[in-house]
Amino acid sequence: MKVAIVHDWLVVNGGAEKVLSELIEIYPSADLFSTVFFLDEKDRGFLKGITPRTTFIQRLPNARRGYRNYIALMPIAIEQLDMSGYDLVISSSYAVAKGVITGPNQLHVSYVHSSARYAWDLQSSYLREANLERGIRSALARWMLHKFRIWDVRTAHGVDHYIANSKFVARRLKKTYGVSAEVIHPPVDLAKFTPLGQKEKFYLAASRLVPYKRIPLIAEAFSSMPDRQLVIIGDGPDMDAVRAKSQGNVRVLGYQPDDVLRDFMRKAKAFVFAAEEDFGIMPLEAQACATPVIAYGRGGALETVVAGKTGILFPNQSVEEIRRAVEEFEHKGVSASTEEFRQHVERFSRASFRENIKASIDRAFSLIDSPGMNRT
């Protein structure tokens, strides 16, 4: 069986790439495709020496730093990838990968990390954060997003079987495309994220510093609690805003290697998470370290954090609610033991993910088997 794996773009090694890594482990002989490939050499280990095939966007001016500026061209680019020689096509999609063209004798399974949120329910937030609420540039952006939505819905019908990374994303797919999706949560490397023992007095927040992660909000909340210590790890366009909101009890460390981040995660009193994520892998990695999570109670956190047992959930993204949740944690703590934390995250293990993906694809084949298909 010839297998192709199509990923939106390869520029960082984040949560979606952890899923891609497992897909490569399951199908080591698969060919890999991506709109662009600008991943740093140090972050390429999970590709197992595979060099992805890219699109014409790879060669456009300033594509390395400005690949997102070519989002209007990505639907065209993804449709130029030749999938005709493959029996199984797996798209790892949060933007355009699901739009690859396949035929009736091919199985197209799409693992969806999210639909393109900036074109759908988060359009207003995206335009506001990009300062595109008014003017000619705003009108152009809205027109482009409108055209993208038309393409996005049309190509949704080219997928034979959808897998969503969370129930939250499955609901989004139902609302956006009118399709049903099986839910298989992303994997956590339980061998890497392990408990350390005694916790220290600081809280931890870590992520890419982009607006929807709401890290400046966490910094502001802790700056108003001078007796609580916070460490922030990560880098990105919100760095200046994070530093501006941080007082002396908030340490901003910027980017740190994985082993340093993991060490802080093991030692932290709790991990603080204020984003509305489609899934969110870091809260699970924290819980694998037996570190409680204080999280915004929307999106994927509702599927990974057990309120009162492995963490505290707060209802609104505000300084007041973060403060209230931290004080609740200080007074009540959580009930889970180290063993119970590990039992909770076991169902998100890499082994479970691989087993579930293989079973899901086998079921998909059985539903659409035709004489022209090769499953061996």
Side-chain angles (χ1 to χ4, degrees):
M1 182 171 67
K2 291 197 66 178
V3 181
I5 300 174
V6 185
H7 195 67
D8 283 303
W9 45 73
L10 282 164
V11 293
V12 296
N13 188 357
E17 286 67 40
K18 288 180 173 64
V19 169
L20 176 60
S21 175
E22 297 301 322
L23 294 176
I24 291 171
E25 290 282 352
I26 298 170
Y27 299 103
S29 299
D31 291 329
L32 179 61
F33 297 81
S34 179
T35 54
V36 296
F37 177 48
F38 295 122
L39 199 63
D40 286 346
E41 193 73 39
K42 62 180 175 58
D43 294 327
R44 296 181 183 181
F46 75 93
L47 295 178
K48 308 296 182 185
I50 299 173
T51 299
R53 305 179 194 182
T54 58
T55 69
F56 66 84
I57 294 176
Q58 179 85 14
R59 301 181 294 277
L60 293 180
N62 198 36
R64 176 178 289 273
R65 292 189 177 183
Y67 66 96
R68 288 180 183 272
N69 295 331
Y70 295 113
I71 191 70
L73 297 178
M74 286 189 178
I76 299 171
I78 209 75
E79 290 177 343
Q80 306 316 305
L81 295 176
D82 184 3
M83 298 287 108
S84 61
Y86 298 95
D87 305 294
L88 170 63
V89 176
I90 305 172
S91 56
S92 168
S93 186
Y94 46 87
V96 297
K98 71 159 182 56
V100 290
I101 297 173
T102 57
N105 289 327
Q106 297 172 286
L107 176 66
H108 179 185
V109 175
S110 188
Y111 187 97
V112 182
H113 310 276
S114 177
S115 57
R117 297 173 298 183
Y118 48 82
W120 292 98
D121 52 311
L122 296 186
Q123 175 184 268
S124 296
S125 298
Y126 162 75
L127 292 172
R128 183 169 55 252
E129 290 162 3
N131 196 27
L132 290 172
E133 290 184 282
R134 295 179 179 83
I136 295 176
R137 291 176 64 240
S138 173
L140 179 61
R142 292 173 191 274
W143 178 82
M144 289 170 56
L145 291 172
H146 170 70
K147 299 295 286 185
F148 182 90
R149 282 190 291 273
I150 294 172
W151 175 87
D152 202 23
V153 172
R154 179 184 63 77
T155 58
H157 302 292
V159 176
D160 297 297
H161 179 60
Y162 278 99
I163 302 173
N165 71 348
S166 66
K167 295 177 183 176
F168 182 65
V169 167
R171 290 195 298 273
R172 177 177 275 138
L173 295 180
K174 187 69 173 178
K175 194 175 189 69
T176 303
Y177 306 140
V179 301
S180 297
E182 182 178 1
V183 175
I184 299 178
H185 294 114
V188 177
D189 193 335
L190 299 182
K192 285 185 177 180
F193 293 89
T194 56
L196 187 62
Q198 188 67 35
K199 299 295 185 181
E200 298 186 8
K201 294 183 178 180
F202 68 90
Y203 291 80
L204 175 67
S207 80
R208 290 178 293 117
L209 302 187
V210 293
Y212 86 93
K213 297 287 189 178
R214 308 305 293 272
I215 301 298
L217 185 70
I218 299 174
E220 183 179 358
F222 273 84
S223 293
S224 69
M225 299 182 288
D227 55 333
R228 311 292 182 211
Q229 303 298 310
L230 174 69
V231 172
I232 296 175
I233 292 177
D235 201 359
D238 260 9
M239 176 60 84
D240 289 343
V242 170
R243 293 192 186 280
K245 296 290 186 181
S246 299
Q247 300 298 318
N249 63 316
V250 178
R251 295 170 58 200
V252 183
L253 302 185
Y255 168 81
Q256 297 296 321
D258 287 348
D259 58 337
V260 175
L261 171 58
R262 196 159 52 241
D263 187 54
F264 274 96
M265 197 171 275
R266 286 171 172 158
K267 295 176 181 177
K269 178 184 281 191
F271 183 81
V272 187
F273 190 76
E276 181 179 346
E277 278 281 18
D278 297 310
F279 180 70
I281 198 73
M282 278 194 174
L284 268 176
E285 291 172 344
Q287 290 171 86
C289 297
T291 298
V293 175
I294 299 172
Y296 177 43
R298 293 282 296 273
L302 292 175
E303 301 172 47
T304 61
V305 180
V306 183
K309 184 174 183 179
T310 67
I312 304 289
L313 298 175
F314 54 90
N316 298 303
Q317 293 169 309
S318 68
V319 167
E320 293 74 19
E321 287 297 338
I322 294 174
R323 284 172 54 101
R324 184 202 58 76
V326 170
E327 292 307 320
E328 179 183 344
F329 175 74
E330 287 285 339
H331 287 95
K332 296 182 180 179
V334 294
S335 64
S337 65
T338 297
E339 292 75 19
E340 288 171 327
F341 269 108
R342 294 294 288 184
Q343 289 170 4
H344 168 61
V345 298
E346 187 65 42
R347 63 193 178 98
F348 302 97
S349 70
R350 294 174 63 195
S352 293
F353 176 84
R354 294 181 196 177
E355 189 176 305
N356 291 335
I357 286 288
K358 287 187 283 189
S360 179
I361 291 176
D362 281 345
R363 286 194 297 272
F365 264 121
S366 69
L367 290 174
I368 67 164
D369 264 345
S370 71
M373 282 193 163
N374 176 18
R375 296 183 59 192
T376 59

